[in-house]
Amino acid sequence: MFRAVRPVLLLLAVAIPAVVLRLTGTHPPALASMLIFGLAVVAASFVLAWAAEAAEMDISGGLAIALLAVIAVLPEYAVDLYFAHTAGTNPDYVQYAAANMTGSNRLLLGLGWSSVVLISLYVASRRSGRSVKALVLETGYRRELGFLAVAGVVAFVIPVTGEIHLVLGLLLLAFFAYYLFRAATSEHDDEPDLIGPAATIGALPTTTRRIVVASMFVVSAGMILAAAEPFADSLVAGGQALGIDQFLLVQWLAPLASEAPEFIVALLFAWRGKGAAALGLLISAKVNQWTLLIGSLPIAYGLGGGGVALHLDGRQIEEFLLTATQTLLGIAILLSLRFPRWAAWTLLGLFAVQFAVPGQSGRYVISAVYLVLAIGAAVHNRDHLVRTIMAPFRSTEELAAAERADELVKV
């Protein structure tokens, strides 16, 4: 048993200094805090991700996939909800809540989706001895894509109105609850495919495994909650000390720290030739971010003393618009459940370009490029558009029948 949990203990040891500092009320300099609490978030996030994967041994079906994606992004939620809660009494923190959410979303799609696809196609081409030009998903992923499509279109309300209203938040949370319900009732009979420490823990005897996994959940979640607030504050203070735009530091460094385990798990799956499963995990995470995370922000803001709507300034609106149009392009590309290599390079290229095109006008130009490409991809894949949007509201049998009918028409 010790051999199975040794990597877990090593990572928890990395997080202990942060917990000690938090419990004693010690406040190191900003840069030291950023390092200590950032490492704690990363280490605890890995433990949380391993626990979520190992839990698949005891949670079967589509619900396991959905819950894994939820748990994997909990560290990011802890940081972002702290920013939103603090913004209720300190309006300066509104920008940081928006920065963390938009950064994590664009990182997940622009870097995560594209990297998984490119690695998967490289591995498939090497194994087959011929060039494989597209990653193909199973029809079961259409429902999750449909959930993302509905949420992605609804999210345009935010840049149009310039706020995240409590009513919109509650609707998104209800939609997420419906997503979990459909995931729990979907038919996914695949055996869990665990790797690394998660596989070792998953191989433990049932009772021992459940105790270990439950302990990992509790301890890692506690460490993340302990480190989230000082880590978030250190990013703001550290940006000022380094002379770096605090908005950009919060937007990119915090998501990189919290999403590192999720990215690594997805990339390992892709490297093992499980590209569809890897991309499916990241699609689920995107659904979670676009429903649960955004929906929670106005609630945290209200509980922190704010009003019924979290109001955004011009910079935050352009960031939401850029994120929404990027999401729209990702959805449009995947309507046919095929992710071509050129599309992965396009998403990766546009993600990189945003760092070279600063300013409000540059953001709007890139948003326009995303939107034009999304419209073009949607027109190209128009035969799948209605079926994808309706997928969340159809039974598994109806979806399968629709897919079979489509194949017959092609023949």
Side-chain angles (χ1 to χ4, degrees):
M1 176 179 168
F2 177 75
R3 180 174 174 273
V5 300
R6 184 168 52 190
V8 174
L9 297 176
L10 289 174
L11 284 179
L12 293 179
V14 173
I16 286 177
V19 176
V20 172
L21 290 176
R22 184 66 192 277
L23 292 177
T24 59
T26 306
H27 301 283
L31 298 183
S33 292
M34 193 186 307
L35 178 63
I36 294 171
F37 291 108
L39 283 175
V41 169
V42 173
S45 296
F46 270 103
V47 175
L48 193 65
W50 292 339
E53 288 182 77
E56 288 186 74
M57 299 295 296
D58 300 298
I59 305 174
S60 60
L63 182 60
I65 300 172
L67 289 179
L68 173 58
V70 172
I71 293 168
V73 294
L74 279 180
E76 172 201 332
Y77 286 24
V79 174
D80 209 4
L81 292 181
Y82 166 72
F83 281 132
H85 185 269
T86 306
T89 53
N90 185 352
D92 290 341
Y93 272 66
V94 173
Q95 62 174 322
Y96 302 132
N100 192 61
M101 197 288 298
T102 55
S104 61
N105 264 273
R106 295 214 296 275
L107 188 70
L108 183 64
L109 197 151
L111 184 61
W113 285 24
S114 55
S115 298
V116 161
V117 172
L118 292 174
I119 291 175
S120 299
L121 295 181
Y122 168 76
V123 171
S125 298
R126 190 181 63 176
R127 289 181 176 180
S128 64
R130 58 182 179 82
S131 178
V132 179
K133 297 181 179 180
L135 175 64
V136 181
L137 297 180
E138 297 176 358
T139 57
Y141 288 106
R142 187 173 299 284
R143 177 177 287 133
E144 293 191 54
L145 187 61
F147 274 101
L148 181 57
V150 173
V153 172
V154 170
F156 274 91
V157 171
I158 296 172
V160 170
T161 61
E163 65 180 21
I164 310 177
H165 199 279
L166 178 62
V167 173
L168 176 61
L170 293 175
L171 289 174
L172 288 174
L173 290 180
F175 194 54
F176 173 75
Y178 177 63
Y179 165 66
L180 285 185
F181 168 74
R182 293 310 304 268
T185 57
S186 64
E187 297 178 0
H188 286 276
D189 297 323
D190 297 337
E191 288 295 323
D193 188 5
L194 308 182
I195 56 178
T200 307
I201 295 168
L204 292 172
T206 302
T207 302
T208 304
R209 179 182 66 243
R210 290 175 179 174
I211 294 174
V212 169
V213 169
S215 301
M216 289 169 64
F217 274 132
V218 172
V219 175
S220 60
M223 287 183 166
I224 288 169
L225 291 176
E229 179 180 340
F231 177 55
D233 287 335
S234 71
L235 289 173
V236 177
Q240 186 175 6
L242 293 171
I244 300 175
D245 188 332
Q246 294 155 303
F247 186 95
L248 294 178
L249 198 62
V250 170
Q251 187 173 38
W252 299 115
L253 188 56
L256 275 174
S258 59
E259 293 190 3
E262 182 182 19
F263 276 13
I264 291 174
V265 169
L267 292 176
L268 287 175
F269 266 83
W271 187 254
R272 294 180 61 195
K274 305 285 186 180
L279 185 57
L281 174 62
L282 296 185
I283 292 173
S284 294
K286 182 73 173 174
V287 174
N288 295 333
Q289 289 185 342
W290 223 226
T291 54
L292 179 60
L293 178 56
I294 296 180
S296 300
L297 292 181
I299 296 176
Y301 178 68
L303 292 175
V308 295
L310 197 156
H311 297 280
L312 310 175
D313 62 20
R315 182 177 188 179
Q316 296 154 33
I317 290 173
E318 75 188 39
E319 292 289 346
F320 264 94
L321 181 63
L322 181 59
T323 307
T325 52
Q326 183 208 45
T327 302
L328 208 61
L329 176 57
I331 295 167
I333 289 170
L334 267 176
L335 285 174
S336 63
L337 299 182
R338 292 174 56 87
F339 208 126
R341 178 183 283 110
W342 66 263
W345 281 117
T346 300
L347 283 175
L348 187 59
L350 287 172
F351 175 77
V353 163
Q354 67 180 311
F355 297 101
V357 185
Q360 188 174 32
S361 58
R363 288 288 191 269
Y364 283 124
V365 169
I366 299 176
S367 297
V369 172
Y370 274 127
L371 186 58
V372 170
L373 291 176
I375 293 173
V379 171
H380 179 73
N381 295 323
R382 59 188 178 276
D383 293 341
H384 308 279
L385 183 58
V386 174
R387 186 163 68 252
T388 300
I389 294 176
M390 294 303 298
F393 313 103
R394 289 180 172 174
S395 66
T396 303
E397 293 76 14
E398 290 174 328
L399 281 177
E403 296 290 344
R404 287 194 297 270
D406 183 60
E407 291 299 324
L408 289 175
V409 169
K410 289 181 181 179
V411 174

